[in-house]
Short mmCIF file of all heavy atoms in Angstrom, two decimals:
data_model
loop_
_atom_site.label_atom_id
_atom_site.label_comp_id
_atom_site.label_asym_id
_atom_site.label_seq_id
_atom_site.Cartn_x
_atom_site.Cartn_y
_atom_site.Cartn_z
N MET A 1 -87.32 -84.68 32.91
CA MET A 1 -86.83 -85.77 32.08
C MET A 1 -87.99 -86.25 31.25
O MET A 1 -89.06 -86.54 31.73
CB MET A 1 -86.26 -86.88 32.95
CG MET A 1 -85.74 -88.05 32.19
SD MET A 1 -85.10 -89.41 33.22
CE MET A 1 -83.52 -88.76 33.68
N THR A 7 -87.03 -94.09 30.11
CA THR A 7 -87.06 -95.47 29.65
C THR A 7 -85.64 -95.93 29.26
O THR A 7 -85.22 -96.99 29.65
CB THR A 7 -88.00 -95.67 28.44
OG1 THR A 7 -89.34 -95.28 28.88
CG2 THR A 7 -87.98 -97.08 27.95
N THR A 8 -84.94 -95.08 28.56
CA THR A 8 -83.56 -95.41 28.14
C THR A 8 -82.66 -95.52 29.38
O THR A 8 -81.85 -96.46 29.46
CB THR A 8 -83.00 -94.36 27.17
OG1 THR A 8 -83.91 -94.27 26.05
CG2 THR A 8 -81.64 -94.72 26.68
N PHE A 40 -93.58 -102.64 24.12
CA PHE A 40 -94.54 -102.18 23.14
C PHE A 40 -94.19 -102.63 21.72
O PHE A 40 -95.02 -102.55 20.80
CB PHE A 40 -94.68 -100.66 23.17
CG PHE A 40 -93.41 -99.92 22.83
CD1 PHE A 40 -93.18 -99.53 21.51
CD2 PHE A 40 -92.48 -99.66 23.79
CE1 PHE A 40 -92.00 -98.88 21.19
CE2 PHE A 40 -91.31 -98.99 23.49
CZ PHE A 40 -91.06 -98.59 22.17
N ARG A 57 -72.14 -107.48 22.37
CA ARG A 57 -71.58 -107.61 23.72
C ARG A 57 -70.20 -108.31 23.70
O ARG A 57 -69.34 -108.06 24.54
CB ARG A 57 -72.54 -108.40 24.61
CG ARG A 57 -72.19 -108.36 26.06
CD ARG A 57 -73.34 -108.89 26.92
NE ARG A 57 -73.58 -110.27 26.75
CZ ARG A 57 -73.05 -111.22 27.57
NH1 ARG A 57 -72.24 -110.89 28.55
NH2 ARG A 57 -73.34 -112.49 27.40
N ALA A 63 -70.13 -100.62 24.90
CA ALA A 63 -70.45 -100.26 23.51
C ALA A 63 -71.82 -100.88 23.12
O ALA A 63 -72.61 -100.23 22.44
CB ALA A 63 -69.38 -100.74 22.57
N TRP A 67 -75.17 -98.77 22.07
CA TRP A 67 -75.92 -99.06 20.84
C TRP A 67 -77.38 -99.29 21.15
O TRP A 67 -78.30 -98.73 20.51
CB TRP A 67 -75.32 -100.26 20.11
CG TRP A 67 -76.22 -100.77 19.02
CD1 TRP A 67 -76.29 -100.29 17.75
CD2 TRP A 67 -77.17 -101.81 19.11
NE1 TRP A 67 -77.23 -100.98 17.04
CE2 TRP A 67 -77.81 -101.93 17.86
CE3 TRP A 67 -77.58 -102.66 20.17
CZ2 TRP A 67 -78.81 -102.86 17.61
CZ3 TRP A 67 -78.58 -103.59 19.91
CH2 TRP A 67 -79.18 -103.65 18.67
N GLU A 87 -73.30 -99.62 9.10
CA GLU A 87 -73.75 -100.98 9.28
C GLU A 87 -74.86 -101.08 10.32
O GLU A 87 -75.83 -101.84 10.15
CB GLU A 87 -72.58 -101.87 9.70
CG GLU A 87 -71.52 -102.03 8.64
CD GLU A 87 -70.53 -100.84 8.59
OE1 GLU A 87 -70.38 -100.10 9.61
OE2 GLU A 87 -69.95 -100.62 7.51
N LEU A 96 -86.47 -103.22 10.81
CA LEU A 96 -87.72 -102.52 10.50
C LEU A 96 -88.43 -103.18 9.33
O LEU A 96 -89.65 -103.36 9.39
CB LEU A 96 -87.42 -101.06 10.17
CG LEU A 96 -86.90 -100.19 11.33
CD1 LEU A 96 -86.35 -98.88 10.83
CD2 LEU A 96 -88.03 -99.96 12.38
N GLY A 101 -94.93 -105.03 9.08
CA GLY A 101 -96.38 -105.29 9.21
C GLY A 101 -96.86 -105.30 10.63
O GLY A 101 -98.05 -105.19 10.84
N GLU A 102 -95.97 -105.45 11.58
CA GLU A 102 -96.36 -105.50 12.99
C GLU A 102 -96.06 -104.26 13.79
O GLU A 102 -96.65 -104.04 14.84
CB GLU A 102 -95.63 -106.68 13.67
CG GLU A 102 -96.00 -108.04 13.12
CD GLU A 102 -95.26 -109.13 13.85
OE1 GLU A 102 -95.37 -109.20 15.08
OE2 GLU A 102 -94.55 -109.90 13.20
N ASP A 104 -95.96 -100.32 14.94
CA ASP A 104 -96.80 -99.18 14.90
C ASP A 104 -96.35 -98.28 13.72
O ASP A 104 -95.16 -98.07 13.53
CB ASP A 104 -96.70 -98.41 16.22
CG ASP A 104 -97.37 -97.09 16.23
OD1 ASP A 104 -98.63 -97.09 16.28
OD2 ASP A 104 -96.69 -96.05 16.14
#
Side-chain angles (χ1 to χ4, degrees):
M1 179 181 283
T7 300
T8 303
F40 63 92
R57 192 168 71 92
W67 168 83
E87 294 81 24
L96 293 166
E102 295 181 56
D104 172 75

